[in-house]
Amino acid sequence: MRLSLLVLTTALISCTPKSMPQPTAKDIHSSGNPEQIAVRHVDLDLNVSFENKQLEGAAVLWLDQVDGTANKLVLDTRDLKISSAETSSDNSKFTLAPYQLSSPDKILGSALTIEIPTGARFVRIRYASSPTASGLQWLTPEQTAGKRHPFLFSQNEPISARSWIPLQDSPAVRLTYSARIKTPAGLSAVMSAEHDAATDGAFRFYMNERIPAYLIALAVGDIAFESTGARTGVYAEPSVVHKAAKEFEDMTKMLEAAEHLFGPYRWGRYDVLVLPPSFPFGGMENPRLTFATPTVLAGDKSLVSLVAHEMAHSWSGNLVTNATWSDFWLNEGFTVYIERRIQEAVYGRRREEMEAELGRAELVQEMAGLPAKDTVLHVDLTGRDPDDGMTLVPYEKGYLLLRQIEEQFGRERFDTYLRAYFDHFAFQSVTTAQSLDYLKQNLFQKAPELAAKIPLDAYVFQPGIPPSAPDPKSEALAKATEAAQLYATQNTIANTQGWSTQELLHFLRALPPHMTTAQMSALDNRLHLTHSGNNEILQQWLLMSIANDYRPANQALEQFLLTVGRRKYIKPLYAELIKTPEGNSRANAIYARARAGYHPIAQATMDALWK
Ligand code: BES
Ligand code: ZN
């Protein structure tokens, strides 16, 4: 380990400006100046204090003088308490450096500008995060499965790395990292990196591949590990880890399927950390260590497409990264495509078809409520929080584009193309323009008559779904639609024996928006929906229960909102509740109790519902 760091130091110091791929587009969501001085490595030394809800310590940044003349380094920060900045030419003798923190911008935070004397190659910043850092959630023991120890996790994407590390927080700026994390006695730390055995109560990590800041990740808690194969495994609280390892036992197969399609997995291990239920997302593709919600532990592997998705990001996103948040579809659209290819390889075409059809239906539904300008793939985020562009559009409209190309050019050709794309741009950040240029040169120009059928511009720059876009159909879901119609017209529940989660979900969504209590109750008795252990089904049922004022589900709804913090689940539930005055007061009462347990970004999303 030490050796590889030494080698790295030498490589960084001796590298000429030209040898480094430069950021390719101005990122409006970062104040950093990587075109002048770029940060190539960060070495963190942080102490984890649950009492103060803060990370406190130092970050040493290794600089690359890109234009050779700049004497100021500009970094992103948000709510950081900076206590000093120092510079050094040798990473051992540091001298104090003047710095300035700009007044905070609501979206971007504060730019930290540090004066860099000629010859300085290292900057050390002593700092602490705020207890309300947007990228951290500090959980009380009650919010964990074990109920005895606190828990901390980070969530950096898109622009929250800056709330706990002073960095150039742009996906176009790639760096390696190392860390020493000091935790309270008995608690472990894990990161999106390789680790050494813990010594002196501190945990040490190394990420020797260049990644954007949004992929740096940390979690601390009572964390156990269970292996699921030579390269894969699961981290979780001790009472959860075995169930999670069973649920995800196909990870090795998934990894092999992905490698077979798109080339070698370049990150060493692939592990999943299952977090407590307040985790605001389904999953987050932190390299080597996906972070995941426990709400996917259904007991029957029915929701493991989430793992396929996060694993797919090891190619699309982590290896080839969107250069700005307007290019987010390059991460997510490509990833949904690969996710479904993995699903098909491991669980069969039937499952893939169902998920593709459900995906398009969700896209159509969400698009109906979006302004036209947000239904293009390359979104204009000027003056906006990048979170605003993070709808299903980059995911599912992006998927439809890639699927249309696949159908037009044939699988074999498209697979070969994708593999070459990942090789060509490996460990780089690319813009939409770069990605499309490469597509035109390496695929479209070779078969113009096929390329002519793909309305590339309509996908990328025009609103809506192009008329020629694929419309994936699954026979199984068609039967579920029929079953819903049968219930709506004749109150007869079809034989649902052997139905998958996807079929049941589709059946529920295809039912009429208004049903009588008797109809709701008959469904509930037959399908045990209020007590479903499958969160995807339960959330759909709770939505319907609110809309139809089905009171036997009230208790389950309250319980769900008080424990689950996954934004995709809870936002629609609150939104449905507040449609009526009575529901609104229920929502207020529940939210008053639940809010403290939600992640800062989930809190912000829910707060906005009442504005
Ligand atoms: N990278 C995203 C999570 C993300 C998106 C974090 C936007 C911050 C901003 C991750 O890969 C993802 O897409 N997760 C999905 C699940 C997936 C199966 C579609 C989620 O969390 O719902
Ligand atoms: Zn994703």
Side-chain angles (χ1 to χ4, degrees), residues 577-592 610:
L577 273 173
I578 66 182
K579 283 181 181 167
T580 66
E582 207 185 308
N584 188 40
S585 54
R586 267 180 79 205
N588 267 297
I590 298 174
Y591 190 48
W610 276 276

Side-chain angles (χ1 to χ4, degrees), residues 335-374:
T335 291
V336 172
Y337 178 79
I338 299 178
E339 163 201 332
R340 300 216 168 115
R341 293 294 302 275
I342 296 173
Q343 286 282 103
E344 179 177 336
V346 179
Y347 299 103
R349 180 77 182 172
R350 187 176 184 274
R351 172 97 164 248
E352 186 276 342
E353 279 169 347
M354 292 194 287
E355 290 183 353
E357 182 175 341
L358 287 169
R360 180 168 162 145
E362 286 167 16
L363 174 66
V364 168
Q365 204 204 343
E366 180 165 345
M367 267 193 180
L370 290 176
K373 68 173 182 17
D374 287 343

Side-chain angles (χ1 to χ4, degrees), residues 515-522 524-525 529-531 538 541-559 577 580-586 590:
M515 287 192 289
T516 63
T517 302
Q519 284 178 311
M520 289 291 287
S521 165
D524 202 6
N525 289 338
L529 298 163
T530 301
H531 301 287
L538 178 59
W541 176 248
L542 293 175
L543 269 179
M544 297 166 58
S545 299
I546 299 167
N548 291 295
D549 196 20
Y550 176 65
R551 298 185 184 187
N554 283 3
Q555 183 65 37
L557 173 66
E558 188 173 316
Q559 186 57 29
L577 273 173
T580 66
E582 207 185 308
N584 188 40
S585 54
R586 267 180 79 205
I590 298 174

Side-chain angles (χ1 to χ4, degrees), residues 23 33 118 130 139 174 195 219 228 240 257 259-260 270 279 305 327 341 347 387 429 443 454 471 515 555 566 589 602:
N33 63 337
T118 311
S130 150
L139 303 182
R174 310 183 75 94
H195 61 85
T228 55
V240 177
E259 284 186 307
H260 179 70
Y270 180 82
F279 185 60
S305 63
D327 306 307
R341 293 294 302 275
Y347 299 103
D387 207 48
S429 302
L443 193 66
I454 295 166
D471 192 4
M515 287 192 289
Q555 183 65 37
R566 187 175 176 185

